[in-house]
Amino acid sequence: MARFLANRLALSIVTLFILSVIVFAATQLLPGDVGRNVLGPFADQKSVDLFNHQVGADRPLLVQYGDWIWKFLHGDMGRSLQYQVSVWSLLGPSLVNSLKLAAEAFVLVVPLSILGGVAAALRRGRLADRAITITGLSLTAVPEFVSAIFLIVAFGVFLTWLPVNAQWPQGTGLVGQMRYLLLPSLALVMVLFGYIARMARHGTIEALSADYTRTAYLNGLGTTTVIGRHVLRNALLPTIAVVATQTGYLIGGLLVIEKLFNYNGIGQRIYIAAQNKDVTMLQSGVLLVGVVYLVATFIADLLYSVLNPRIRFGSVE
Amino acid sequence: MSTIASPAAGSEARIARRETLRQLLRSPTFLTGAAIVGFWVFCAVFGFAIAPHDPQDQSFTPLLRPGGAHLLGTDNLGRDVFSRVLVGAGDILKVAPLATLLGIAGGTVIGLVTGYFRGLVDNVISRIVDAWLALPVIVIAVTALVALGASTITLIVVIGVVFMPIVSRTVRAAVLGERQLEYVQAARLRGERAPYAMFVEILPNVMGPIIVEATVRLGYAIFTVAGLTFLGFGVQPPSPDWALQISDGYSLLNDTAHQGNYWIVLFPGMAVASLVIGVNLIADGISRALER
Amino acid sequence: MTPEPTPLALELRDLDVVYRVRGQDRQVLRGLTLTVGSGESYGLVGESGCGKSTTALAAVQYLPSNGRVRSGSINVAGRDVVRLSRAELRKLRATEVSMVYQDPSQALNPSIKIGRQVAAVFRVRGIGRDEAEERTAAVLRHVQIADVGSVMNRYPHQLSGGMQQRIVIAMALAKDPALLILDEPTTGLDATVEAEVLDLIAQLQAELRTAVLFVSHNLGVIGKMCERVGVLYAGRLVEEGPVDVVLQNPRHPYTVGLIRCIPRGGVRKDHGRLDTIPGFLPPLGEELPGCVFVDRCGLAREICHTVEPPLYQLGEHHISRCHFHEEAPELPRVIPADLGQPLPLDRSSTALVRIEDLEKIYRQRGHTVHAVSGVSVSIWPGETVGLVGESGSGKTTFARALLGLVVPTAGTVEVDGRVVPPKLARRSREDVEALQIVFQNPDSALNRRHTVRRILRRALKKLAGLTGTAAAARLLDLVQSVRLAERYLTVRPNQLSGGLKQRVAIARAFAGEPRLVVCDEPTSALDVSVQAAILNLLVELQVERRLSYLFISHDLGVVRYLSDRIAVLYLGRLMELGPADVVFDGPHHPYTEALLSAVPTIDGGGRERIRLEGEIPSAANPPTGCVFHTRCPRKIGPICEQEEPPLVTVERDHMMRCHIPIEELRRLQQDKDAITA
């Protein structure tokens, strides 16, 4: 298992490196001169040059990249070009906010979708299966801001049960915060439900038709025992990987939801940085999203290898 | 089970294909999806002719509730929401399919190459694909669109390119399965070059997964274009695009006195939802028919 | 029937089973009646699609969801399983009936420890945790698992295939069932492992007096394991009787044909062709008013098409469902026995292909795996060399290196005395054309998206350089030479039966003028009747074109039939190489001896079984000294563990890698034969 995890860790690091190059290259493509973008079209060339020199934008690209990544690894993300404060002082709290939102969505969607998927598999081909599958498919297909609009109109506008904005007033307690986050979370739940449920359904169907399930039935074990002990365990392993990749989506894909609900998360930060061409903020924000994704997948690998004896005791990559 | 060869076997390939088609035409999911998508395509083409008002006409009273002369009300600039919903599919139905096509084409080539060669080429490209996939589509797209400027062409190219690695994953997995089948070795054993083996031997055998992927991708393309448009990086005003209508109108939802002026956003939202659901129902129908 | 004190273990009466396919019921079993008495072992044979597995699954009420029993009854241990309630059925499965099926690695749950999985069989009957654990250990010891404590704590993937099958058998016997159903339990296992598992089953069955329903396509296995045998064809029992009576004196044309298809009793290609069964199994669910076998039967007359033959009683418990059962033994041959003799070989000339010191080392997760270590073989024009060995012996790697599909780590391949480049892409068109292959599985060897015509035209273009009308003309010759009807040219492979597909694959290899064709288990995915036809075809092509074969197979009867010389591989090393008769008749290498004795044949009796100790070692970590010493029944001492014996010529054309002198081997092996004779 150590070997498997070491392998995965090494891969993650390589991926992270490539990712940083992609992010850096992409932000270098931003049109216009860094100083000009920040200082505006009416600033004189001298102060633009000076600005560029101050932020180091006049150095060779390779040096800039090296400097950026070196500092990033040491927890220093530089200063925001737009706000002239440390990037981390803005990104940090936003990341926490996004994680809160993601966590709420996660806690709701994982049990719900797995339950749905397994239930559909057990009633394969029957009405319940078709209903769950089609509902899941439809919910997943609809863009999150559209689902959110439906939720807002229903719960915020007509029923007025829940706040339309997600940003809670200062001093709101945790439970109160969760209430504010419920609508955006539900929108995310709707998007993720179908995907995870489909994987859970697929895994369960596969396990149900496996020979070992037949062995269990033919040994006279009851349906409950067979499903609980033999089917679910093997069925849900692949679902873990899906859940992990979806966490990545959750963190980064929050862009749209955060804007809609006017919520100060990392997506909102990236969005504003992109609009204002705040290169340092954009670079670090995007890379941070990548890091979160890789951490999530690594945790999934860890979980997967612990739960899967075939990896825990070698022999399978 | 043994397959039985009958003298009429020659026509059986066609029969099998017709059988798939017949299954599609009998599948309620597929038919529902096709009807929905067909309706919106029709509206996109003929919408301007059948709409009761000019979608860009701002001369009506703003923020009228649904009913009366304006079936779905009017927006804050005094435009007829019903007319705008009718024609709102135009841009997205141009951008999304073209972007999908681009993504499928590029992804298929990458997937074939990485799956076929494995080894170093595969390792290098796969790492890049992994890194690419670590970023949510929307983040990459936003960054790229800011860099390149938003236009229909860049939108198509950006989404297409962003989809390539995702498609390549699916294709690669299918190719890896085919690659180890002996017919590929047999091709090498009569001196075939790699491009022939990839495109003539393997490609036809992975068309099934590619077609399914294409329909699923089309759904995501609409999803993504809508999201980007909502953020202001996609389809640009003054297009009557649905996502643009929502983007313009959602801030009015706070106006609880007027029921949040819900009609400005709800109806375009329903239109977007029905279109993507339609596309996904088609995808589901096709993948079911091909599975059999 | 007189009532018996103990009920029959299994009693099927007029059983009709149908599968619903595309909205129609297709009949799979047609009025099947058979009984397995208490403590009896009953073998059910037939080719694929005959309904063997359906019978087994029906008996435990585990038919696929589209299958159902339309009429008839199934009694297991005196209870009608069709009418049992869910709870009763569960109880029956927990106590009275067990089933073992083909792939043991699939039959065990990958995420539960062995100990717990086996204990579940006891727990379900309400036995306490501690007692269940004790009894689990006991039953595992019973199936001769050495290190019970550690095995119980392991997961299935940590055990070898043979070991896994022992566990499954242990589970099956743990409930002391009235009936044990074995569905191809050793198919897919290596010969020596198969022999061990069969021995174990036989021993346990004798000890516990459990009734056994043994389902297999392999007549040899049935002959060894069963007292009575039933032959199934198209869902109908066509013949039944005591196993030696049926195998020695079959009275249904289908049984006769099946037995004639099998190369056995040392028959070789120069003795004559194998007989085959023409035609195909009728499609699933076809209406068959007369005899089910009529379309393929050499004895068929008017009455056979219209009147379903009754079961004729032929002697004690021997029945045949054939109107002309008296004539069955004289069933006319489909294929005349004499169809041209292979030309005599001339080994004084230059070898066609000379492989020198071929070595292939794989690096696998930090391990180095010697797939092939220093193997040298030469093949002369017109000669067939059989390549024999179990999984991991390096047969396939050796063949692929020869073809250039994998690049060897060391060693050379010469064609006509000229070294050819190791990489396929570097080889000239002539070299590529000269060395071809027929793969094991024609399903995956043919591109399922291309028509037969397209497959062959492309091969003609690339291998023979033919296009246009020349190619069209040659194409017709080609399909004719592999006895493939022209109408199949427009068809895609998935519309062809396995045998026809393999003909297309052979035609493709023969599109150019191949000098040597590697046959990698070309018939192991096929039914025996089809196998015979393919083997005949290979011989005919060899006679016509005087080409050579490297024939890889685990089926020693097939290898013997085709081969002039035999090479035996074990863990990547050449253990023995010599003329086929010498290698088969001995004195042979102890490993060859074990391989030969492991194969159950329908001739029965014969060789004494030689048990091999332990598992096949991993090629990543081969034993020191002689690689076979860990399992060798004739190990002579420390020298075997320390020193690798050289490959030396022990007689004319006969090479062996063993520390035991040839004369000593001859004496030992003759003694053994004397004992069994």
Side-chain angles (χ1 to χ4, degrees):
Chain A
M1 179 169 78
R3 197 187 172 84
F4 169 80
L5 288 178
N7 203 352
R8 283 304 163 101
L9 193 63
L11 278 185
S12 296
I13 290 169
V14 174
T15 307
L16 197 59
F17 166 71
I18 299 172
L19 184 62
S20 70
V21 174
I22 294 178
V23 170
F24 184 79
T27 46
Q28 291 306 318
L29 284 177
L30 288 180
D33 176 287
V34 172
R36 179 63 65 193
N37 278 336
V38 174
L39 300 177
F42 305 113
D44 63 278
Q45 190 56 40
K46 222 162 139 194
S47 46
V48 168
D49 289 346
L50 185 68
F51 183 89
N52 280 342
H53 186 69
Q54 276 170 350
V55 299
D58 55 350
R59 293 169 301 166
L61 284 181
L62 212 60
V63 177
Q64 286 190 48
Y65 170 77
D67 186 48
W68 169 58
I69 205 71
W70 179 253
K71 285 184 175 158
F72 188 93
L73 289 176
H74 290 79
D76 175 7
M77 300 186 186
R79 292 172 70 79
S80 156
L81 296 178
Q82 188 189 1
Y83 299 101
Q84 290 302 318
V85 292
S86 118
V87 164
W88 178 243
S89 72
L90 296 173
L91 276 186
S94 300
L95 182 63
V96 173
N97 277 347
S98 288
L99 288 176
K100 276 185 192 166
L101 174 53
E104 185 160 340
F106 213 66
V107 167
L108 291 173
V109 79
V110 170
L112 207 64
S113 53
I114 288 182
L115 218 67
V118 172
L122 293 179
R123 280 168 188 69
R124 187 183 183 187
R126 283 188 250 166
L127 191 65
D129 177 24
R130 289 306 286 160
I132 292 173
T133 312
I134 298 274
T135 311
L137 192 72
S138 307
L139 291 181
T140 299
V142 177
E144 63 272 58
F145 71 95
V146 175
S147 319
I149 292 285
F150 295 159
L151 289 169
I152 292 175
V153 169
F155 295 105
V157 174
F158 278 98
L159 298 171
T160 60
W161 289 350
L162 292 166
V164 172
N165 281 332
Q167 200 59 60
W168 53 79
Q170 288 264 285
T172 309
L174 195 65
V175 178
Q177 291 182 12
M178 280 169 61
R179 200 173 103 82
Y180 274 88
L181 290 180
L182 195 55
L183 275 186
S185 305
L186 282 178
L188 294 171
V189 167
M190 286 168 74
V191 171
L192 292 177
F193 173 82
Y195 200 53
I196 301 178
R198 181 154 50 161
M199 284 306 290
R201 175 180 180 271
H202 181 77
T204 309
I205 285 176
E206 207 142 83
L208 277 173
S209 59
D211 272 3
Y212 57 79
T213 303
R214 174 161 61 159
T215 308
Y217 273 118
L218 292 187
N219 278 333
L221 269 57
T223 313
T224 332
T225 323
V226 175
I227 305 272
R229 213 176 290 163
H230 293 267
V231 174
L232 285 189
R233 203 180 160 140
N234 293 299
L236 296 184
L237 273 177
T239 314
I240 294 174
V242 177
V243 171
T245 47
Q246 294 308 306
T247 341
Y249 159 79
L250 259 183
I251 301 298
L254 291 175
L255 228 71
V256 176
I257 282 292
E258 286 177 356
K259 182 181 179 231
L260 181 70
F261 285 93
N262 194 19
Y263 183 65
N264 179 17
I266 194 162
Q268 183 86 319
R269 281 279 165 230
I270 290 175
Y271 171 69
I272 295 170
Q275 271 197 324
N276 297 311
K277 309 199 166 95
D278 186 346
V279 177
T280 42
M281 177 79 93
L282 187 59
Q283 277 175 349
S284 298
V286 173
L287 190 56
L288 200 59
V289 168
V291 171
V292 171
Y293 172 84
L294 290 173
V295 169
T297 44
F298 185 73
I299 291 174
D301 281 341
L302 196 74
L303 212 61
Y304 187 76
S305 60
V306 169
L307 293 177
N308 188 348
R310 287 149 83 76
I311 290 177
R312 198 162 11 127
F313 300 102
S315 104
V316 179
E317 287 264 320
Chain B
M1 286 250 308
S2 47
T3 324
I4 309 308
S6 71
S11 56
E12 274 187 27
R14 255 165 287 142
I15 293 174
R17 239 169 294 151
R18 221 175 296 149
E19 178 69 20
T20 309
L21 200 67
R22 193 174 319 143
Q23 241 160 32
L24 269 184
L25 293 181
R26 267 198 314 230
S27 145
T29 6
F30 176 83
L31 290 178
T32 315
I36 297 172
V37 175
F39 172 75
W40 287 122
V41 170
F42 177 82
C43 288
V45 178
F46 301 106
F48 282 91
I50 56 173
H53 304 283
D54 176 358
Q56 307 292 17
D57 185 355
Q58 305 192 359
S59 60
F60 307 107
T61 320
L63 300 180
L64 279 180
R65 286 172 193 247
H70 299 284
L71 193 58
L72 303 181
T74 57
D75 68 7
N76 51 334
L77 297 179
R79 294 173 292 195
D80 180 49
V81 173
F82 178 62
S83 303
R84 291 175 70 74
V85 167
L86 268 189
V87 300
D91 283 309
I92 208 162
L93 281 180
K94 261 181 273 167
V95 173
L98 288 174
T100 307
L101 217 58
L102 182 64
I104 291 289
T108 300
V109 173
I110 299 175
L112 275 171
V113 170
T114 51
Y116 184 78
F117 286 108
R118 290 181 289 191
L120 190 67
V121 180
D122 181 24
N123 272 328
V124 171
I125 298 184
S126 289
R127 285 292 77 71
I128 296 175
V129 167
D130 277 351
W132 198 253
L133 290 177
L135 293 176
V137 167
I138 205 109
V139 171
I140 314 181
V142 163
T143 315
L145 285 167
V146 169
L148 303 171
S151 75
T152 311
I153 297 295
T154 44
L155 195 58
I156 292 171
V157 171
V158 165
I159 294 178
V161 171
V162 167
F163 277 177
M164 283 179 194
I166 305 172
V167 175
S168 80
R169 273 272 175 107
T170 311
V171 177
R172 177 174 176 270
V175 171
L176 281 181
E178 292 296 318
R179 176 73 167 81
Q180 43 178 310
L181 298 182
E182 286 93 359
Y183 73 83
V184 181
Q185 290 177 19
R188 291 176 61 202
L189 268 176
R190 53 170 196 266
E192 302 289 6
R193 305 275 161 227
Y196 182 91
M198 279 188 274
F199 289 98
V200 185
E201 294 282 342
I202 296 179
L203 184 58
N205 288 295
V206 295
M207 274 322 280
I210 291 177
I211 289 171
V212 172
E213 179 73 16
T215 46
V216 172
R217 256 328 106 200
L218 180 61
Y220 276 104
I222 298 174
F223 187 114
T224 311
V225 175
L228 287 171
T229 304
F230 174 75
L231 291 176
F233 296 108
V235 178
Q236 296 298 315
S239 164
D241 185 84
W242 296 325
L244 216 49
Q245 294 181 46
I246 296 174
S247 177
D248 289 342
Y250 81 97
S251 54
L252 299 169
L253 281 170
N254 280 322
D255 183 8
T256 35
H258 286 91
Q259 289 181 320
N261 305 299
Y262 70 88
W263 56 90
I264 304 179
V265 290
L266 183 65
F267 298 118
M270 286 164 76
V272 176
S274 68
L275 179 63
V276 278
I277 290 173
V279 170
N280 276 274
L281 291 179
I282 292 178
D284 188 57
I286 289 181
S287 71
R288 268 164 204 280
L290 287 178
E291 252 171 40
R292 274 172 230 216
Chain C
M1 217 179 241
T2 51
E4 282 170 291
T6 41
L8 292 169
L10 176 69
E11 184 182 13
L12 307 178
R13 285 263 162 257
D14 297 321
L15 184 63
D16 277 8
V17 171
V18 294
Y19 285 150
R20 202 163 181 81
V21 184
R22 283 201 211 107
Q24 269 182 3
D25 279 347
R26 323 255 170 153
Q27 197 165 3
V28 186
L29 295 183
R30 302 164 195 270
L32 183 62
T33 297
L34 66 83
T35 58
V36 182
S38 161
E40 187 189 28
S41 58
Y42 186 99
L44 198 57
V45 290
E47 296 179 287
S48 50
C50 280
K52 305 184 299 280
S53 291
T54 300
T55 310
L57 290 173
V60 289
Q61 281 291 288
Y62 205 83
L63 286 170
S65 57
N66 64 335
R68 74 190 163 85
V69 174
R70 191 164 66 185
S71 63
S73 66
I74 307 167
N75 281 284
V76 173
R79 259 162 300 169
D80 185 349
V81 296
V82 182
R83 283 172 191 82
L84 287 183
S85 72
R86 269 175 157 230
E88 287 168 323
L89 184 62
R90 229 165 68 201
K91 186 151 173 280
L92 183 88
R93 286 173 177 170
T95 54
E96 298 288 5
V97 57
S98 290
M99 187 160 170
V100 173
Y101 20 83
Q102 186 169 341
D103 186 352
S105 66
Q106 301 292 313
L108 294 168
N109 189 324
S111 56
I112 301 182
K113 286 181 182 171
I114 298 294
R116 266 194 65 197
Q117 286 195 57
V118 181
V121 180
F122 296 109
R123 302 277 292 144
V124 73
R125 288 190 293 172
I127 293 170
R129 189 180 299 273
D130 293 341
E131 196 194 334
E133 196 167 315
E134 268 169 46
R135 292 180 65 172
T136 298
V139 72
L140 289 183
R141 268 192 291 275
H142 208 151
V143 293
Q144 295 157 12
I145 282 170
D147 192 4
V148 168
S150 104
V151 167
M152 281 173 69
N153 261 314
R154 286 199 229 169
Y155 289 94
H157 75 274
Q158 295 172 292
L159 306 174
S160 69
M163 197 78 134
Q164 288 170 343
Q165 197 61 306
R166 279 163 193 272
I167 307 279
V168 174
I169 291 168
M171 269 169 102
L173 291 174
K175 42 185 134 152
D176 193 10
L179 175 67
L180 171 62
I181 299 174
L182 300 161
D183 187 357
E184 306 269 6
T186 55
T187 309
L189 297 178
D190 271 315
T192 57
V193 181
E194 169 178 53
E196 276 179 84
V197 172
L198 290 180
D199 279 351
L200 177 71
I201 294 172
Q203 185 195 331
L204 291 171
Q205 208 246 333
E207 235 171 82
L208 304 170
R209 297 307 299 159
T210 309
V212 170
L213 176 67
F214 200 118
V215 173
S216 179
H217 69 284
N218 188 329
L219 281 170
V221 171
I222 295 280
K224 176 183 156 67
M225 300 297 294
C226 301
E227 295 154 18
R228 280 200 305 143
V229 60
V231 182
L232 207 55
Y233 183 82
R236 184 150 266 168
L237 197 68
V238 293
E239 183 165 6
E240 184 185 61
V243 84
D244 39 348
V245 175
V246 172
L247 292 185
Q248 302 310 322
N249 185 20
R251 296 291 290 277
H252 191 282
Y254 177 59
T255 322
V256 174
L258 266 188
I259 293 172
R260 282 196 197 159
C261 291
I262 302 168
R264 64 201 169 98
V267 49
R268 293 177 30 78
K269 59 184 173 189
D270 29 352
H271 301 163
R273 300 293 173 271
L274 298 165
D275 202 9
T276 66
I277 304 174
F280 302 98
L281 192 70
L284 193 65
E286 180 149 300
E287 283 300 321
L288 301 166
C291 170
V292 287
F293 190 60
V294 61
D295 289 337
R296 307 176 69 183
C297 183
L299 299 176
R301 284 159 226 185
E302 194 54 44
I303 182 176
C304 303
H305 288 276
T306 49
V307 179
E308 166 65 30
L311 281 170
Y312 291 97
Q313 286 287 343
L314 306 175
E316 208 178 346
H317 307 304
H318 187 186
I319 50 180
S320 165
R321 203 184 272 281
C322 176
H323 291 302
F324 305 102
H325 53 86
E326 323 81 27
E327 299 172 34
E330 280 82 50
L331 180 75
R333 277 188 69 105
V334 179
I335 308 285
D338 47 338
L339 272 176
Q341 291 276 324
L343 293 164
L345 288 172
D346 171 20
R347 284 214 201 89
S348 57
S349 57
T350 322
L352 168 65
V353 171
R354 213 165 82 99
I355 302 130
E356 271 299 301
D357 281 323
L358 194 81
E359 181 157 307
K360 179 65 192 177
I361 301 172
Y362 287 110
R363 304 203 119 268
Q364 231 175 36
R365 300 201 296 142
H367 299 285
T368 50
V369 179
H370 280 257
V372 178
S373 324
V375 175
S376 306
V377 175
S378 297
I379 304 173
W380 275 268
E383 184 183 38
T384 301
V385 173
L387 196 54
V388 173
E390 294 171 284
S391 53
S393 65
K395 308 184 295 270
T396 300
T397 308
F398 176 77
R400 301 214 160 168
L402 162 67
L403 293 166
L405 287 170
V406 299
V407 178
T409 315
T412 54
V413 175
E414 289 174 19
V415 176
D416 292 331
R418 184 171 42 79
V419 175
V420 297
K423 261 196 178 152
L424 188 58
R426 300 261 158 75
R427 293 189 181 174
S428 67
R429 199 183 66 80
E430 286 71 29
D431 289 340
V432 169
E433 184 189 348
L435 306 180
Q436 286 293 317
I437 185 170
V438 176
F439 291 101
Q440 170 173 7
N441 189 344
D443 286 320
S444 55
L446 300 175
N447 193 328
R448 57 194 184 281
R449 291 279 162 185
H450 293 176
T451 61
V452 172
R453 182 193 304 279
R454 183 167 178 192
I455 291 169
L456 297 180
R457 280 294 284 259
R458 185 72 190 178
L460 283 170
K461 181 176 175 198
K462 297 298 285 187
L463 292 175
L466 292 174
T467 51
T469 46
R474 182 80 182 79
L475 180 67
L476 294 183
D477 285 352
L478 192 60
V479 292
Q480 215 148 59
S481 68
V482 298
R483 318 276 179 274
L484 193 70
E486 227 176 279
R487 64 170 188 271
Y488 293 127
L489 281 174
T490 56
V491 160
R492 288 182 198 192
N494 59 358
Q495 283 140 16
L496 298 177
S497 68
L500 291 176
K501 274 184 246 188
Q502 199 58 295
R503 284 172 196 272
V504 176
I506 292 171
R508 181 176 61 189
F510 282 83
E513 288 290 335
R515 313 275 306 277
L516 171 81
V517 174
V518 174
C519 301
D520 188 357
E521 307 253 14
T523 60
S524 65
L526 307 174
D527 279 318
V528 286
S529 63
V530 183
Q531 163 175 297
I534 296 291
L535 295 179
N536 284 341
L537 174 63
L538 289 173
V539 175
E540 280 158 34
L541 289 167
Q542 184 168 46
V543 172
E544 273 168 36
R545 305 191 177 204
R546 200 171 165 68
L547 81 155
S548 310
Y549 289 126
L550 178 67
F551 194 91
I552 303 173
S553 180
H554 66 277
D555 186 327
L556 296 175
V558 169
V559 171
R560 182 165 202 185
Y561 176 74
L562 276 184
S563 306
D564 300 296
R565 281 190 302 148
I566 310 271
V568 183
L569 289 187
Y570 184 75
L571 288 180
R573 282 156 185 82
L574 190 58
M575 303 307 268
E576 184 169 8
L577 173 66
D581 291 338
V582 176
V583 172
F584 273 93
D585 295 337
H588 25 232
H589 190 280
Y591 175 60
T592 314
E593 186 185 2
L595 267 186
L596 286 169
S597 78
V599 182
T601 61
I602 46 177
D603 307 320
R607 298 164 193 279
E608 182 202 14
R609 277 275 298 109
I610 297 187
R611 279 242 173 111
L612 287 190
E613 301 285 321
E615 312 268 336
I616 303 175
S618 144
N621 187 20
T624 55
C626 174
V627 285
F628 187 53
H629 85 255
T630 52
R631 305 171 75 204
C632 184
R634 302 207 182 273
K635 186 174 145 189
I636 48 175
I639 185 174
C640 295
E641 294 164 23
Q642 288 152 8
E643 233 179 83
E644 166 130 47
L647 185 69
V648 291
T649 305
V650 289
E651 294 170 303
R652 195 168 162 269
D653 295 336
H654 187 193
M655 296 164 93
M656 208 186 282
R657 192 189 284 281
C658 185
H659 286 301
I660 309 174
I662 180 82
E663 288 314 318
E664 177 72 3
L665 274 176
R666 190 189 307 277
R667 196 178 57 72
L668 287 167
Q669 290 167 353
Q670 264 166 6
D671 280 359
K672 179 204 74 186
D673 287 346
I675 293 166
T676 48

